[in-house]
Amino acid sequence: MAHRWYILHVYSGFESKVKTSLEERIENSEYKDYFEEILVPTEQVVSLVKGKKKESSRKFYPGYILIKMTLI
């Protein structure tokens, strides 16, 4: 099967919750073979706060999830 990337639009701020819920539903369904990967695009950002380095995670595309899957 040829998996392709698709973009799913979700409420901003709920990306990780939607990803977790989707992974649970896929695991309990008969369509596991159609899904390969689910990503919330993030990057690690280093910023200076009061003279100290602080690492945080920032979303590339807030409100979107990337899914690599095969459409039925």
Side-chain angles (χ1 to χ4, degrees):
M1 289 185 261
H3 296 291
R4 295 180 64 185
W5 284 102
Y6 295 94
I7 300 172
L8 181 65
H9 179 80
V10 299
Y11 284 121
S12 184
F14 288 90
E15 296 92 348
S16 58
K17 190 179 240 186
V18 171
K19 177 186 176 195
T20 304
S21 176
L22 190 57
E23 288 173 338
E24 289 173 0
R25 291 190 68 170
I26 291 168
E27 194 63 36
N28 296 328
S29 74
E30 59 189 50
Y31 300 110
K32 293 179 204 175
D33 299 333
Y34 293 100
F35 293 88
E36 184 175 323
E37 191 174 0
I38 301 173
L39 293 175
V40 176
T42 58
E43 67 177 341
Q44 294 296 326
V45 178
V46 178
S47 58
L48 289 173
V49 177
K50 296 182 182 178
K52 296 183 180 179
K53 290 183 180 180
K54 180 182 175 187
E55 279 195 30
S56 61
S57 181
R58 185 176 72 98
K59 294 181 180 104
F60 273 44
Y61 306 111
Y64 293 96
I65 295 176
L66 304 175
I67 302 175
K68 190 171 186 180
M69 62 177 278
T70 301
L71 282 180
I72 301 173

